[in-house]
Amino acid sequence: MSQSIDHIGGGRYLKTIENNVLHPGVTEEGNRYNLEHKSVIDRLFFGTQNSFVEFVFTDSPEGSNDAVAFRIIKKQQDNSYELEVTRLQNVLDVYYKKLKYVVSEKTTPITTPFWLSTAISNETKDQIKEHNKQAALLKNSDDLYKPYRPTPLKLQISKEFAEQLHKRTSILIENFKGVGVPLNITDGSEVTFRCVMDDELWTLWIHCPQGKALRLSDFFRKMITDGFDNRFIELEYLKLLE
């Protein structure tokens, strides 16, 4: 994993390193996290928080048409770690046919060209102003996503295991390197690896992952499946990571 990780024969990818927190202490819950590059699916699973480690796998409609995810929450009060595993069946119906359009309708501001702004009534201008105000508030709110969010399964894990998963994820993101021109793939799965590094948020999104990214994705998916099947054995995963 510490060697260069080449992405050959897969689809597109996007790697970002950015601020984890944008405005500290501006909400009742504390910090306002940076959600700028989080997708609708990310926000559906994880809400408005950036966690120690996050992983999302979304299969295509031609595959299982399901999405699975996990995140590791680091609890500052007692320095413990919790693993949340989640799955969403039939992503096509929940996301593409419902949630995507709800979010777009509610959070997209209305813009008017100058020539039209002089012709519309003051009442219409006020309505547009109010819509844009509510859109700005909803953009970083969790209210749109809660009705669609599946209930996660929560598992207590050790500090050693949490830090190993964080280490593997950060190494993958840091050393990931694409080679050549990506294939023009219209189908296929999508995977997101994400972790918090000090004051930064590291993210790697891949369409049709290959090589070591695919291996780590398969490992994470096995953890999620074992969790729901009541076969989650932390010691076995630690041995595999070693």
Side-chain angles (χ1 to χ4, degrees), residues 148-161:
Y148 303 93
R149 180 169 297 138
T151 302
L153 173 67
K154 300 183 179 183
L155 302 165
Q156 201 71 24
I157 60 174
S158 68
K159 179 180 179 180
E160 179 187 7
F161 185 46

Side-chain angles (χ1 to χ4, degrees), residues 47-102:
T48 57
Q49 180 183 6
N50 294 332
S51 302
F52 190 55
V53 179
E54 296 177 357
F55 169 78
V56 179
F57 175 88
T58 306
D59 207 355
S60 65
E62 287 73 14
S64 66
N65 193 26
D66 294 342
V68 295
F70 80 76
R71 67 174 174 176
I72 299 175
I73 300 174
K74 185 177 181 179
K75 298 184 177 181
Q76 301 294 341
Q77 58 269 30
D78 58 0
N79 201 30
S80 64
Y81 294 84
E82 184 177 73
L83 178 71
E84 283 189 0
V85 295
T86 318
R87 61 185 171 192
L88 177 66
Q89 296 178 320
N90 203 349
V91 177
L92 181 65
D93 282 345
V94 175
Y95 172 54
Y96 292 103
K97 292 184 179 179
K98 299 176 183 177
L99 183 56
K100 182 178 180 180
Y101 298 103
V102 170

Side-chain angles (χ1 to χ4, degrees), residues 158-193:
S158 68
K159 179 180 179 180
E160 179 187 7
F161 185 46
E163 291 182 345
Q164 277 290 331
L165 294 177
H166 183 273
K167 177 182 177 182
R168 300 294 176 176
T169 301
S170 64
I171 290 175
L172 174 70
I173 297 173
E174 183 175 19
N175 292 290
F176 186 89
K177 182 180 179 181
V179 176
V181 179
L183 298 179
N184 184 20
I185 306 172
T186 58
D187 188 19
S189 60
E190 299 177 2
V191 62
T192 300
F193 302 92

Side-chain angles (χ1 to χ4, degrees), residues 7-21:
H7 182 60
I8 305 172
R12 295 173 296 115
Y13 74 91
L14 176 66
K15 178 161 61 170
T16 61
I17 297 178
E18 54 193 324
N19 297 102
N20 179 38
V21 175

